[in-house]
């Protein structure tokens, strides 16, 4: 809270990340590193010089046909 960074888990029903970015920015909480939507904070552990934002898929689940599920850690939490 002192640096105004929070972790939020959102469940999407579509893959439209633009909507997450726009809605969180509208609520006054843009995604860390997302300068296009108003973030003034940088993502401290970006793994490359490419601009990154703190938005990551951490769980995938498919229910049609054979069920498939996979969980991941966002790259900023992985050990180097």
């Amino acid at each position: 809270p002192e640096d105004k960074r929070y972790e939020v888990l959102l469940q999407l029903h579509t893959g439209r990340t633009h909507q997450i970015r726009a809605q969180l920015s509208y609520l006054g909480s843009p995604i860390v590193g997302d300068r296009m939507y108003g973030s003034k904070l940088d993502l401290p552990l970006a793994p490359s010089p490419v601009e990154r934002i703190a938005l990551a898929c951490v769980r995938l689940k498919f229910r049609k046909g054979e069920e498939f599920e996979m969980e991941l850690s966002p790259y900023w939490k992985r050990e180097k």
Side-chain angles (χ1 to χ4, degrees):
E2 59 275 355
D3 65 2
K4 299 184 188 231
R5 295 177 194 209
Y6 302 89
E7 185 171 291
V8 178
L9 181 62
L10 301 169
Q11 183 175 349
L12 297 181
H13 297 281
T14 69
R16 298 192 172 130
T17 58
H18 166 79
Q19 291 299 317
I20 300 167
R21 296 168 70 188
Q23 293 297 322
L24 288 173
S25 179
Y26 176 79
L27 294 171
S29 298
I31 296 168
V32 172
D34 195 356
R35 299 218 180 263
M36 181 181 288
Y37 285 89
S39 176
K40 294 181 178 23
L41 301 172
D42 290 322
L43 184 59
L45 301 175
S48 73
V50 174
E51 186 176 326
R52 305 266 178 169
I53 66 172
L55 178 62
C57 176
V58 295
R59 184 181 307 140
L60 286 174
K61 186 173 188 175
F62 298 98
R63 294 185 183 159
K64 290 188 177 181
E66 187 175 332
E67 189 169 302
F68 172 83
E69 186 170 357
M70 179 182 223
E71 290 196 36
L72 306 164
S73 292
Y75 66 85
W76 59 88
K77 286 188 165 186
R78 294 182 195 148
E79 291 186 32
K80 304 267 183 229

